[in-house]
């Protein structure tokens, strides 16, 4: 394990891409332990043979397709209608849009990048500071960590053999609460800085209903997925295939905005996205095998047990570790690497893996929005030309509000478990 740890830290410090860092560290461990080359190849290839993993490429393609069908522009208009009358109107629009887009993109970085390009310039013209703009656009993407179909929840479910249907339902209430918490933070800061509103009147019921009807295709998407999975119409993997067909149908026959050129661009971008994700999955599986072989989960479990036997304390310790790890590694890699380590520990303490999964995904995703190696943070700052130092300072209120929400979720697990227990029954 010493060679594994040293190689990993050195390569990460040198700025090696995460997938290569993980893969080369695993290879260093295997060679020092004399593991046959055939087993190494088997471990690399076996990670791609999961049927449930088929959900990932399908949902990635569906998200890219929906962004080209006109759904995004319609959702922006609806978000502006509903929240434009609030102080800090455009910032409020961005938060609500993240909630609505969470059921489409499933990716925090993709959501933050899209909103930075579309809303960023207008927020600058309205007088919002660069740091505030970058902070809320990046942190708003955190909502996609729990709103179905979250790619992170799918990977967590596949890796830990946890019900994806239960995870999807468990993420809904925390996702809505996260939206409200961030909107409250925006309102508080905007009032102090006198940021403008987008409209002078509260939307009428007629206007809201009209907006809902215009966006019914987008808003129904996550509902159809959850209902379909719950009642056995399709598995999570088949739900991904359905999502692609659904997106094509909307783009070609409902909004009629999906051209052949846009379709080719979607396929190109999806191929790039999947190449990155699958390479991380392959390397992470080998790294995970090295960790298990080196008895790290058992060693870590014994160390944690010595600290406390209280499940809540154990969960808080793991949360701190996950948050720190998220600062240095990409979310997908963290989910694949840390799930096999921590899931057995939390299950041994009687903590529901679905409840843990929601908290876990929020923390892992938030790591991408914090220094020093946050992918979402750098993406947003790059697009908006905002210094990382300025972003870090102005994102503190949003981070604090999310931490408060996480503590509430820890001490009141039924917030996450209410819907899955209602629909599926209490887990045995």
């Amino acid at each position: 394990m010493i060679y594994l740890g040293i190689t990993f830290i050195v390569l990460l410090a040198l700025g090696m891409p995460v997938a290569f860092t993980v893969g080369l560290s695993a290879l260093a461990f295997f060679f020092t332990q004399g593991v046959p080359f055939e087993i190494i190849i088997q471990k690399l290839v076996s990670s791609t043979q999961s049927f449930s993993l088929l959900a990932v490429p399908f949902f990635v393609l569906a998200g890219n397709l929906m962004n080209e069908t006109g759904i995004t522009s319609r959702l922006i208009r609806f978000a502006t209608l509903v929240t434009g009358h609030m102080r800090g109107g455009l910032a409020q629009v961005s938060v609500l849009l993240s909630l609505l887009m969470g059921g489409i993109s499933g990716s925090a970085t993709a959501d933050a990048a899209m909103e930075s390009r579309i809303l960023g310039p207008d927020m600058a013209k309205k007088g919002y500071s660069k740091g505030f703009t970058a902070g809320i656009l990046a942190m708003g993407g955190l909502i996609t960590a729990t709103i179905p179909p979250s790619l992170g929840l799918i990977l967590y479910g596949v890796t830990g053999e946890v019900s994806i249907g239960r995870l999807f339902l468990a993420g809904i209430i925390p996702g809505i609460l996260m939206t409200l918490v961030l909107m409250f933070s925006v309102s508080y800061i905007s009032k102090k800085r006198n940021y403008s509103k987008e409209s002078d009147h509260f939307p009428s019921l007629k206007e809201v209903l009209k907006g809902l009807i215009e966006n019914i295709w987008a808003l129904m998407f996550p509902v159809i997925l959850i209902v379909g999975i719950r009642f056995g119409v399709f598995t999570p993997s088949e739900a991904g295939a359905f999502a692609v067909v659904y997106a094509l149908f909307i783009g070609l026959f409902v909004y009629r905005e999906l051209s052949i050129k846009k379709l080719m661009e979607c396929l190109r971008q999806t191929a790039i996205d999947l190449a990155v994700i699958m390479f991380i999955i392959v390397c992470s599986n080998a790294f995970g095998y090295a960790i298990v072989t080196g008895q790290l989960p058992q060693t870590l479990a014994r160390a944690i047990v010595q600290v406390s036997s209280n499940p809540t304390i154990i969960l808080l310790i793991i949360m701190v570790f996950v948050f720190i790890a998220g600062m240095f590694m990409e979310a997908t890699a963290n989910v694949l690497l840390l799930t096999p380590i921590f899931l057995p520990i939390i299950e041994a303490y009687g903590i529901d893996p679905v409840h843990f999964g929601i908290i876990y995904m929020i923390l892992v995703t938030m790591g991408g929005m914090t220094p020093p190696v946050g992918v979402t943070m750098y993406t947003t700052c790059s697009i908006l030309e905002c210094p990382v130092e300025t972003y870090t300072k102005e994102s503190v209120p949003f981070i604090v509000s999310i931490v408060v929400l996480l503590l509430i979720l820890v001490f009141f697990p039924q917030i996450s478990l209410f819907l899955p227990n209602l629909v599926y029954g209490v887990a045995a």
Side-chain angles (χ1 to χ4, degrees), residues 166 352 425-428:
R166 294 182 72 92
D352 193 299
V426 179

Side-chain angles (χ1 to χ4, degrees), residues 82-282:
V82 174
T83 64
H85 66 283
M86 301 171 69
R87 182 69 69 179
L90 273 180
Q92 301 286 13
V93 168
S94 75
V95 177
L96 182 59
L97 183 61
S98 292
L99 174 68
L100 299 175
M101 287 297 296
I104 296 175
S105 71
S107 166
T109 303
D111 176 78
M114 179 274 295
E115 292 194 22
S116 295
R117 292 189 182 96
I118 296 175
L119 297 177
D122 287 338
M123 291 181 72
K125 292 176 184 176
K126 294 280 185 176
Y128 294 85
S129 70
K130 278 191 176 182
F132 175 83
T133 301
I136 192 56
L137 293 181
M139 292 301 296
L142 188 58
I143 299 169
T144 64
T146 64
I147 295 297
S150 163
L151 295 181
L153 289 180
I154 294 172
L155 290 175
Y156 170 78
V158 171
T159 306
E161 297 181 358
V162 181
S163 168
I164 294 175
R166 294 182 72 92
L167 287 168
F168 278 1
L169 282 170
I172 293 175
I173 295 178
I176 293 172
L177 290 177
M178 206 182 310
T179 304
L180 296 175
V181 163
L182 288 174
M183 291 180 77
F184 175 81
S185 299
V186 167
S187 180
Y188 177 76
I189 296 172
S190 299
K191 188 174 182 180
K192 290 181 65 175
R193 300 183 181 182
N194 199 30
Y195 286 149
S196 64
K197 302 177 182 180
E198 287 303 296
S199 62
D200 296 325
H201 70 282
F202 192 87
S204 66
L205 180 60
K206 182 179 179 180
E207 289 174 323
V208 173
L209 288 175
K210 182 181 178 182
L212 286 172
I213 293 172
E214 289 179 352
N215 290 279
I216 191 66
W217 294 102
L219 300 175
M220 284 297 295
F221 176 56
V223 176
I224 294 173
L225 290 183
I226 292 171
V227 172
I229 293 173
R230 170 61 186 92
F231 291 101
V233 178
F234 35 62
T235 65
S237 299
E238 292 165 347
F242 164 80
V244 173
V245 175
Y246 186 86
L248 285 171
F249 176 79
I250 292 173
L252 294 172
F253 302 109
V254 179
Y255 296 149
R256 300 181 181 180
E257 294 186 20
L258 184 63
S259 63
I260 296 298
K261 182 180 179 180
K262 288 183 177 180
L263 179 59
M264 291 299 103
E265 177 59 25
C266 281
L267 294 174
R268 186 191 70 84
Q269 186 59 49
T270 300
I272 295 172
D273 294 341
L274 291 178
V276 174
I277 293 172
M278 292 307 297
F279 188 57
I280 292 175
I281 289 174
V282 167

Side-chain angles (χ1 to χ4, degrees), residues 45-76:
V45 175
S46 64
S47 59
T48 65
Q49 306 304 302
S50 170
F51 178 74
S52 298
L53 202 59
L54 283 173
V56 175
F58 283 133
F59 277 120
V60 171
L61 176 57
N64 288 334
L65 283 171
M66 286 191 173
N67 284 335
E68 297 292 345
T69 59
I71 286 180
T72 300
S73 59
R74 288 170 172 81
L75 288 178
I76 291 175

